[in-house]
Amino acid sequence: MTARIFKPAKNAMQSGRGKTREWQLDYEPEQPRAIEPLMGWTSSVDMKQQLTLHFDTKEDAIAYCERKGIAYQVIEPKDSVRRAAAYADNFAFKRVEPWTH
């Protein structure tokens, strides 16, 4: 039973950074998912896949794993690259191609 400790990525569908400040602990699947023959859904008998724990800091998550004797892997978050863009840049003279609809 191995756990992953990580910070969730920003939702691609929205511009906000909600639910990305806390650390999350998920368990690695012990068995592969199987396809149900009747409905075609994927299922698993591993109940730990449904468990997700949230922590305020990385150290809290690591302390939890060490206290419970769980092997863990810490995945450090990547820094997001912010590109400064303004609406006025659409009409700048330095544009390579003219702005059109």
Side-chain angles (χ1 to χ4, degrees), residues 3-81:
R4 289 180 301 199
I5 299 172
F6 62 96
K7 269 184 139 176
K10 183 180 83 65
N11 186 353
M13 303 307 269
Q14 297 182 4
S15 62
R17 301 199 46 89
K19 298 182 182 177
T20 61
R21 299 203 183 346
E22 56 189 20
W23 289 81
Q24 184 172 331
L25 183 139
D26 286 341
Y27 288 99
E28 291 282 336
E30 292 179 357
Q31 299 175 358
R33 292 183 178 260
I35 298 175
E36 290 282 332
L38 179 63
M39 298 298 289
W41 298 339
T42 58
S43 66
S44 176
V45 296
D46 185 17
M47 289 302 192
K48 294 216 182 237
Q49 287 183 347
Q50 299 177 8
L51 183 63
T52 299
L53 300 174
H54 298 278
F55 297 93
D56 291 332
T57 63
K58 174 176 62 170
E59 289 76 22
D60 290 343
I62 292 172
Y64 174 81
C65 288
E66 290 176 352
R67 190 170 57 245
K68 300 291 184 180
I70 301 169
Y72 62 91
Q73 172 188 11
V74 178
I75 302 170
E76 294 293 332
K78 296 180 182 174
D79 294 332
S80 62
V81 178

